[in-house]
Amino acid sequence: MSARAMLEVTGLTAFYGWAQILFDLSLSVGRGEVAVLLGRNGAGKSTTLKSIVGLVRPAAGSVVFNDVEITGFPPHRIVRMGLGYVPEERRIFSDLTVAENLAVGQQRPRDDAPQWTVEKLFQLFPNLAEMQGRRAGQMSGGEQQMLTVARTLMGNPSLILLDEPSEGLAPVVVDQMAATIGALKSRGLSILLSEQNLRFAQMVSDRAYIIEKGRIRWQGRMADLARDDAAKQQYLVV
Amino acid sequence: MTGQIVVQFLTGLAGAASLFLVAAGLSIIFGVTRIVNFAHGSLYMLGAYIAYSLTERLAVGTIYGFWVSVVLAALAVALIGAAIEIAILRRIYRAPELFQLLATFGVVLVVQDAALWIWGPVDLMGPRAPGLDSSVEIMGQRLPEYDLALIVISPLVLGLLWLLFYRTRWGILVRAATQDREMVGALGRNQAWLFTSVFFVGAFLAGLGGAIQLPKGGADLLIDLNIIAAAFVIVVVGGMGSITGAFLAAILIGELQAFAVLLLPESTLVIMFLAMAVVLVVRPWGLLGRPVAEHAAGRAAEPLLRPPGRTQRMIWGAVIACLLTLPLIAEDFTLTLSIEIMILALFAASLHFIMGPGGMVSFGHAAYFGLGAYGAALLATKLDTPMELALLAAPAIAGAGALVFGWFCVRLSGVYLAMLTLAFAQIAWSVVFQWYELTGGEDGLLGIRRTPWADSRIVFYYLVLAACGVAIYAMRRMIFAPFGYAVRAGRDSRLRAEAIGIDTRRFEWMAFLIAGAMAGIAGGLYVYSKGSVFPDEMSIPRSVDGLVMVLLGGVQTLSGPLFGAAGFTWLHDAISRLEYWRFILGGTIIGLVLAFPEGLGGIWRQLEDWVRRRRAVARQAKP
């Protein structure tokens, strides 16, 4: 990791109404690194990612991206700085065609990030190339998931937040998704993903945070977690 | 005969033009921003007035000048629409959806008085369109040339809109935002400017609609609410978000009106709303609409309704004590105002009953108030029924109305339901307005006297206090009884509630019935407090008053609507003798909305939340 991480989250605290979801949560993602936020349903994974990208307004704490404090910025500003967000539940625009979905995500290229064009994305996701004109709502779940990733990449981000990318996908598609994440990493993209699926997380990540009830309980290298049966037992086994 | 039918058909097409333009704008704005823009009719009205002023100056007899004026007027209105979005609505997108509706009510009032101030109270006759000021002969019948121009305009605009939505990047963004605007923001698009531009386009269409109608209809201060009701009907009949649907619906309504004028001149209003009711029963999502999927992001969680705690009970105890002792100290005038406030508080509470716990927004709740009022008044004047009996009959009559209307309404949800309630209210209003022999039409029913024992103002005050108090308390009890749980469960998730065996529709229907009957009580009392009743008591402004009370007070609180009713009625009374009272009222509403985006009743809750958060953050900060 570089001296200063690419994404630094410190003391994040968030509420829905008066229910506190995140408690003094800190994490970081280094340049070119894949970090995973592991935790059960309702642990606060999605809220963490949403707070980082500005969809949830944190009550306290700070988010620093590329040495710029972005806490409290509106989402579109954060995204334009190169921090991409892939939501859970594939929020594709189902009435729009595949090509139109991609057009919504398009942003100017950035020097510090891999640059994407529709053609390059179609190389990465060959399935999408064959159905550019199709309405997104008529695609399979796996294809929709690929489209959400591709759509975010159209913004040429230098770091992306991936919210539960393996959720609800068939095993063969999960493997494809893992391969995709590997390919993105190899092009220099930094990634923070949230996951419940430990096997999937092990395939793709360098480092892991375990979140439970809105607090980070464990952090370290993925390889260490693989050996730490006690931690796995305590925080991850359902 | 054939000639007459053909010409009437063409007249219908011409009449459809401005209806289509207004409805299309309304639909586009709602699709992206989820705001039911009540001020859309005001934009239409401004289009007509501004076009009038421009043609006065620019278009002295030239073809060019006229059409340039029309387009300039539409552009001016577009700028006004964008300004409204930037100055008011942009600040409250995070507020509950209905609160934005409230802000648009404020705009309606402000624009009404602004127009009155600028253009005066006299109806303005539109100029004739130069070059199109004579008529053509079609199969032996005459048709104004200008109608032909109007017939051409709608398909032209439809085509341009299609290009705009399907062939431009802006159109892609607008369609994406219509589905999931939060996600559009999370992909790096600035929602604020997208919303402003959508308002610009929507307002342009409204302004254009008003401007092209000028040579036929002129400009007056009533067209804003008339056209908004028609625009709602067309949007809903066509299918929310479908421009082509709006086009077809505008033609349908335009034709129905054209032929109704021929056959049954008095039925034009009713016909439009009946058509809407029929279409919605057959196709609940409109001609070309699709069922509204539950939003991907899910609807915002409603704050929990909590039974009153000890502090609240004590406050209520104090309020009741004050109300009980009021007649001992107050003057007649205060007592009269208090009676009106209590009655309207019951009306607001009954509307809140279906809106808050029931999750069914009604744009036409005045129908039940009015049914109760007219029911009691007719019994008293035509059948010499004593007051006691008439007051008991009022909720029964209003409840019966709610039972019938509600059966249709609960089959829909969201904004469709709201607009259907408006349609039913307009039907009820038109019947009362036009059935002169029975209801006295515009002249109303007069001379309704209280029973001798209740003749004194003080006794009647206590009667109203008791009736309203019991009714409001009963509704609160129901909200915290199993019945209320079932209704709220259905509101929060119909599917889950159904899955545990709750017949959600039945419960919604029951809630509708109860709310209607309670509004009927209020209506009955109102008649005996005034001694008269007029069609205004069931018109759109009365329904809007109820909405303002509920929303201003805070739809998510139980007591809010009561305070909203008190504040609104008091303010209304205090300023209604001023010439520009609408301006003050509208400005006040807008100011309050901007200052307290959760409603006045929500201030307490906002403070509580804020304190809790501060405390939690402070705890954490300690080492």
Side-chain angles (χ1 to χ4, degrees), chain B residues 20 24 28 157-166 201 205 243:
Chain B
F20 164 62
I28 295 167
V157 170
L158 180 66
L160 287 174
L161 284 177
W162 188 88
L163 287 177
L164 188 62
F165 281 110
Y166 288 90
V201 172
L205 291 172
I243 305 289

Side-chain angles (χ1 to χ4, degrees), chain A residues 53-55 73-81 83-85 87 91 93 104-107 151-152, chain B residues 32 94 173 176-195:
Chain A
V53 78
L55 290 172
F73 282 16
H76 69 90
R77 263 188 84 186
I78 295 176
V79 169
R80 284 180 189 178
M81 293 168 71
L83 201 161
Y85 168 72
R91 286 160 65 178
F93 305 113
V104 176
Q106 189 171 18
Q107 296 284 340
R151 187 179 63 177
T152 299
Chain B
V32 175
R94 281 175 180 264
L173 288 181
T178 302
Q179 262 194 297
D180 189 343
R181 53 186 170 154
E182 186 186 65
M183 201 56 230
V184 172
L187 287 167
R189 301 296 181 171
N190 188 345
Q191 286 189 57
W193 285 111
L194 187 61
F195 283 17

Side-chain angles (χ1 to χ4, degrees), chain A:
Chain A
M1 253 201 314
S2 62
R4 181 94 197 232
M6 192 168 183
L7 177 71
E8 282 267 10
V9 176
T10 321
L12 201 62
T13 301
F15 292 79
Y16 281 133
W18 46 270
Q20 190 167 2
I21 309 294
L22 300 181
F23 297 82
D24 197 14
L25 183 144
S26 301
L27 58 80
S28 65
V29 182
R31 198 167 294 278
E33 186 185 39
V34 179
V36 63
L37 193 59
L38 277 164
R40 298 186 181 110
N41 255 342
K45 302 187 295 291
S46 292
T47 308
T48 307
L49 298 192
K50 284 184 176 174
S51 304
I52 293 172
V53 78
L55 290 172
V56 169
R57 216 162 264 221
S62 84
V63 181
V64 176
F65 176 61
N66 280 335
D67 295 323
V68 181
E69 163 104 37
I70 59 169
T71 329
F73 282 16
H76 69 90
R77 263 188 84 186
I78 295 176
V79 169
R80 284 180 189 178
M81 293 168 71
L83 201 161
Y85 168 72
V86 182
E88 65 179 337
E89 293 169 351
R90 327 174 179 127
R91 286 160 65 178
I92 50 149
F93 305 113
S94 53
D95 286 346
L96 272 58
T97 64
V98 169
E100 288 174 335
N101 265 276
L102 294 176
V104 176
Q106 189 171 18
Q107 296 284 340
R108 267 190 224 108
R110 223 178 312 278
D111 294 336
D112 64 337
Q115 294 182 6
W116 297 98
T117 57
V118 175
E119 293 72 34
K120 281 190 197 168
L121 282 170
F122 285 159
Q123 284 167 20
L124 191 65
F125 304 103
N127 284 359
L128 297 184
E130 294 159 19
M131 42 182 88
Q132 291 179 57
R134 185 180 298 186
R135 267 191 38 209
Q138 294 170 337
M139 303 196 303
S140 74
E143 287 157 357
Q144 293 186 0
Q145 185 68 297
M146 296 300 172
L147 178 58
T148 51
V149 177
R151 187 179 63 177
T152 299
L153 290 175
M154 284 295 284
N156 299 305
S158 55
L159 184 150
I160 57 172
L161 310 174
L162 273 175
D163 202 352
E164 300 219 28
S166 79
E167 190 190 22
L169 296 183
V172 59
V173 187
V174 172
D175 290 344
Q176 272 177 31
M177 183 59 77
T180 305
I181 292 175
L184 295 178
K185 185 190 172 188
S186 71
R187 299 198 195 189
L189 198 64
S190 315
I191 299 171
L192 172 62
L193 64 145
S194 79
E195 259 309 326
Q196 301 194 48
N197 181 340
L198 180 62
R199 193 184 73 86
F200 180 80
Q202 279 174 332
M203 284 195 281
V204 299
S205 356
D206 306 313
R207 246 163 13 90
Y209 294 88
I210 294 180
I211 180 173
E212 191 197 48
K213 290 183 184 160
R215 293 183 168 88
I216 299 289
R217 299 294 187 172
W218 189 98
Q219 54 180 299
R221 296 193 310 141
M222 199 72 227
D224 294 334
L225 180 62
R227 286 192 291 272
D228 191 341
D229 288 332
K232 280 191 282 188
Q233 189 68 33
Q234 190 178 351
Y235 301 118
L236 299 176
V237 173
V238 180

Side-chain angles (χ1 to χ4, degrees), chain B residues 28 36 95 204 236 239 252 306 342 371 385-386 394 413 421 449 453 455 464 475 520 550 593 606:
Chain B
I28 295 167
V36 178
F204 179 85
V236 170
L252 175 72
R306 283 167 273 189
M342 289 189 291
L371 280 176
T385 314
S413 63
T421 57
R449 305 195 67 91
W453 64 262
D455 201 34
V464 170
M475 281 191 279
V550 171
V593 165
Q606 266 174 313

Side-chain angles (χ1 to χ4, degrees), chain B residues 41-362:
Chain B
S42 309
L43 296 172
Y44 172 91
M45 182 172 79
L46 285 176
Y49 272 118
I50 294 173
Y52 177 87
S53 293
L54 287 174
T55 47
E56 289 271 280
R57 286 169 184 73
L58 297 178
V60 198
T62 69
I63 301 178
Y64 247 178
F66 175 79
W67 291 103
V68 166
S69 305
V70 165
V71 173
L72 280 182
L75 274 176
V77 174
L79 287 175
I80 293 169
I84 291 172
E85 199 278 338
I86 292 172
I88 302 170
L89 299 171
R90 181 179 289 188
R91 293 159 205 277
I92 50 173
Y93 282 124
R94 281 175 180 264
E97 272 181 16
L98 289 170
F99 225 57
Q100 296 141 10
L101 181 71
L102 186 53
T104 66
F105 292 154
V107 173
V108 170
L109 292 170
V110 169
V111 171
Q112 261 174 1
D113 266 359
L116 173 65
W117 185 65
I118 299 172
W119 287 283
V122 182
D123 293 1
L124 301 178
M125 282 282 288
R128 293 199 157 196
L132 295 169
D133 44 9
S134 60
S135 57
V136 289
E137 204 180 287
I138 298 173
M139 301 170 80
Q141 301 278 325
R142 307 201 70 80
L143 182 78
E145 280 178 342
Y146 189 67
D147 279 13
L148 293 175
L150 289 180
I151 292 173
V152 177
I153 285 177
S154 321
L156 196 70
V157 170
L158 180 66
L160 287 174
L161 284 177
W162 188 88
L163 287 177
L164 188 62
F165 281 110
Y166 288 90
R167 289 289 176 270
T168 68
R169 178 170 296 272
W170 182 83
I172 292 176
L173 288 181
V174 166
R175 284 188 294 134
T178 302
Q179 262 194 297
D180 189 343
R181 53 186 170 154
E182 186 186 65
M183 201 56 230
V184 172
L187 287 167
R189 301 296 181 171
N190 188 345
Q191 286 189 57
W193 285 111
L194 187 61
F195 283 17
T196 309
S197 62
V198 162
F199 252 89
F200 183 87
V201 172
F204 179 85
L205 291 172
L208 191 60
I212 60 166
Q213 191 62 17
L214 184 66
K216 300 200 71 173
D220 63 70
L221 291 168
L222 292 176
I223 52 177
D224 54 347
L225 284 183
N226 289 342
I227 196 78
I228 195 71
F232 278 177
V233 168
I234 286 157
V235 167
V236 170
V237 167
M240 210 84 213
S242 168
I243 305 289
T244 319
F247 180 73
L248 295 178
I251 290 176
L252 175 72
I253 300 292
E255 291 303 340
L256 276 175
Q257 286 192 326
F259 283 99
V261 168
L262 216 59
L263 305 172
L264 254 175
E266 294 290 279
S267 68
T268 44
L269 246 184
V270 190
I271 282 276
M272 176 164 75
F273 289 101
L274 277 181
M276 167 175 174
V278 169
V279 168
L280 286 189
V281 168
V282 181
R283 288 189 62 91
W285 312 111
L287 294 175
L288 296 186
R290 275 175 293 154
V292 190
E294 284 217 10
H295 222 249
R299 54 183 293 175
E302 294 275 339
L304 198 60
L305 281 177
R306 283 167 273 189
R310 183 190 289 191
T311 331
Q312 264 200 40
R313 277 166 201 261
M314 275 165 56
I315 294 174
W316 274 116
V319 169
I320 292 170
C322 287
L323 287 174
L324 281 172
T325 48
L326 188 71
L328 306 179
I329 48 170
E331 315 155 39
D332 277 0
F333 163 74
T334 315
L335 225 48
T336 307
L337 181 61
S338 304
I339 289 173
E340 189 168 346
I341 285 179
M342 289 189 291
I343 291 171
L344 290 175
L346 174 57
F347 175 56
S350 72
L351 175 59
H352 172 260
F353 189 76
I354 43 169
M355 267 177 78
M360 297 178 283
V361 181
S362 170

